[in-house]
Amino acid sequence: MTDYAIEARDVAVTYADGTEAVRDVDLLVERGEFFGFLGPNGAGKTTMIKTLVTLLRPTAGSVTVNGFDAVAEPRSVRATVGYMAQETSVDPELTARENLRFACDAYGVPRAERGDRIDELLELVELTDVANKVADDFSGGMKKRLDAATALVHRPPLVFLDEPTTGLDPAARNRLWAYFRRINDEGTTVFLTTQYLEEADQLCDRLAVIQNGAVVADGTPETLKRRVGGEVLTVALADGDESDRAVSIAREEGVFADGATIEPNANGLTVTARDARTRGTDLLVALRDAGIDVVGFDVRAPTLDDVFLAVTDEGAGGERASEIESTPTSAVPSGTVGDGGRGSSEAESGGEGETTGNGGDR
Ligand code: ADP
C-alpha cells in the first residue's frame, strides 16, 4: 500500500479547444496531510482537482488516488474521495437533513448507518438546530458547511475542497476552517485550493503554487517564506510620486546585501532583504540626504503573499531583483494572460469538461 493519498506524475490536461490548462504537473500528497494548492485565477487549480476526482481525464501522465489509477479505476477513486466543488451541490428546496440523506443515497451509504452518520455530520458543521429547515433559507456560510458535510457522508479518507470559503465573511470562514482542521485531525487527508493565502498559511502542512498550468513552487509554508530571502521592509513616503527616485537611491547606494529585492509600491517602496532590519536605518539616512520625506517605516517577516508575488512573478519571467523600472503588471497575480480564455463554459457547469487523449471508459 502506498503512503500517498495522491500521486500525480507528469500530468497534462488539454481541453478540446486546445487550452493547455495543466502541463507536466507532479504532485505527491501524503496520507493525513493538509495540502494546499494555490494559484491565481485561471492557473489550472480546478482542472487539476477535476482530474484527480476523475471528472476530467488527463491528456498525459499518470494519476493515482488512494492507490487507484484514475483512468483505469475511476469508480474506486470516486468511492474513496469527497469533493466539495466551487458550485454548490446543496439543493435549496431540501432541508439540511434531506440534503445529507440524498448524499448518502448517492454515495451508497448503508441504510442502517445513515441516521447516525447524518446526526454526527450535522453536529460537526453546527447545523443540528436547523436540520429541518430548507437550505434556501441558509446564509452563504451555512450552505458551504452543509456542502462540506455532504462531501463527507461516505467517510472518505481524502477530501477535495475547491475554494471552499470564497465569498464568505471572516466569521463564516473561521468556522469552516475549524471544521476542516477537525476532519484533518481525525485523519482525513485534505486537498484545498484557495485564493486566500492566509487561509493556506493557517491550515496547510504543505503547499504547491501553480501558475499557467505549471507548479512554480512547493514546500511547507515556512520553507516557502524563507525562500523569499529575508525580511520585508516597507517605507512610506510623504510624496508617493518620489517612489521611483527612492528605489533608485536604495539600489544605487548599495545599502542592502546582494539578492535584495527593491520595488516601488503605491506610496513608497518595499525591500526584501536578509539585512532589511539592520540596514533599514541606513536607507532612511540616504533618503533624507536626498531630500525625500519618510512618513512610515515597518519591518516584518515575509507572508505567503510575498511568496506568491515572488514566485508567480518568476514564473511569468519577471526579473524583480535586477530591473530598475517597476513592472506593475507582473505584481498583480493573473494567470489569464495569453491563456486563450475559457473555451467551453458549458462543459464546466456540468462538471464534465472535454479533454483530449488518454482513452479509457467512464
Ligand atoms: P483555476 O481553477 O486555477 O481558476 P481553471 O482550472 O479553472 O483555473 O482553468 C485553467 C485554464 O483552463 C484557464 O485558462 C481556463 O480558461 C481554461 N479552461 C477551464 N475550463 C475549460 C473548458 N471547459 N474548456 C476550455 N478551457 C477551459
Side-chain angles (χ1 to χ4, degrees):
M1 187 82 149
T2 155
D3 286 338
Y4 295 115
I6 298 171
E7 204 173 343
R9 306 226 181 237
D10 302 324
V11 172
V13 183
T14 303
Y15 284 102
D17 68 352
T19 305
E20 294 179 2
V22 169
R23 12 181 153 209
D24 274 345
V25 166
D26 281 322
L27 275 185
L28 291 177
V29 178
E30 287 181 22
R31 291 178 195 279
E33 218 170 13
F34 204 127
F35 187 84
F37 199 48
L38 311 182
N41 255 331
K45 301 180 298 292
T46 297
T47 302
M48 193 64 200
I49 281 211
K50 287 188 170 169
T51 306
L52 294 171
V53 301
T54 80
L55 291 175
L56 288 176
R57 188 175 305 164
T59 310
S62 66
V63 176
T64 308
V65 176
N66 291 324
F68 301 108
D69 184 279
V71 173
E73 305 163 284
R75 277 170 206 279
S76 304
V77 171
R78 289 184 195 191
T80 56
V81 302
Y83 173 39
M84 180 177 169
Q86 269 182 43
E87 320 82 54
T88 181
S89 64
V90 166
D91 184 334
E93 292 179 9
L94 300 183
T95 66
R97 188 181 294 282
E98 285 164 347
N99 265 289
L100 287 169
R101 209 175 286 142
F102 183 78
C104 284
D105 265 341
Y107 281 110
V109 176
R111 226 159 258 286
E113 293 173 25
R114 290 185 189 179
D116 287 350
R117 186 81 54 90
I118 290 171
D119 285 341
E120 210 176 275
L121 283 169
L122 285 168
E123 190 75 30
L124 182 67
V125 296
E126 300 172 72
L127 293 176
T128 305
D129 293 348
V130 291
N132 299 319
K133 294 216 162 88
V134 290
D136 206 21
D137 294 339
F138 290 1
S139 68
M142 288 160 81
K143 279 188 192 134
K144 285 281 189 188
R145 297 210 301 277
L146 179 56
D147 220 357
T150 59
L152 289 173
V153 289
H154 55 309
R155 296 221 168 108
L158 166 64
V159 62
F160 291 89
L161 308 170
D162 194 0
E163 298 195 14
T165 62
T166 295
L168 297 184
D169 62 52
R173 192 171 295 162
N174 270 315
R175 280 176 97 164
L176 268 174
W177 287 359
Y179 166 62
F180 297 151
R181 269 199 200 100
R182 209 164 129 195
I183 57 175
N184 181 243
D185 286 345
E186 288 167 3
T188 309
T189 309
V190 180
F191 187 99
L192 167 88
T193 74
T194 181
Q195 293 192 47
Y196 299 118
L197 300 168
E198 196 210 335
E199 176 163 301
D201 202 7
Q202 293 268 333
L203 296 173
C204 297
D205 302 321
R206 216 155 52 81
L207 311 166
V209 181
I210 184 173
Q211 186 184 32
N212 291 329
V215 172
V216 291
D218 62 355
T220 64
E222 290 317 311
T223 326
L224 288 171
K225 285 182 214 165
R226 270 205 298 279
R227 187 179 145 167
V228 169
E231 292 187 297
V232 182
L233 161 67
T234 318
V235 180
L237 305 177
D239 178 1
D241 291 342
E242 299 253 54
S243 289
D244 287 341
R245 194 158 74 91
V247 165
S248 302
I249 290 166
R251 287 178 178 160
E252 282 154 22
E253 297 272 323
V255 178
F256 300 99
D258 287 351
T261 306
I262 303 165
E263 297 285 343
N265 62 34
N267 50 15
L269 69 161
T270 304
V271 177
T272 306
R274 291 197 305 278
D275 51 1
R277 190 171 294 275
T278 50
R279 305 304 300 271
T281 45
D282 297 348
L283 173 62
L284 297 186
V285 171
L287 293 177
R288 193 190 56 204
D289 290 350
I292 297 178
D293 270 348
V294 171
V295 293
F297 176 88
D298 173 60
V299 187
R300 60 173 172 80
T303 64
L304 276 186
D305 285 87
D306 301 310
V307 174
F308 195 76
L309 281 178
V311 300
T312 54
D313 205 18
E314 281 165 24
E319 295 174 69
R320 288 160 63 88
S322 56
E323 277 181 354
I324 297 292
E325 66 275 12
S326 68
T327 50
T329 47
S330 63
V332 180
S334 166
T336 51
V337 181
D339 66 15
R342 199 170 278 268
S344 46
S345 52
E346 76 284 359
E348 171 76 14
S349 61
E352 300 275 353
E354 284 288 318
T355 58
T356 58
N358 231 12
D361 75 337
R362 51 190 74 194

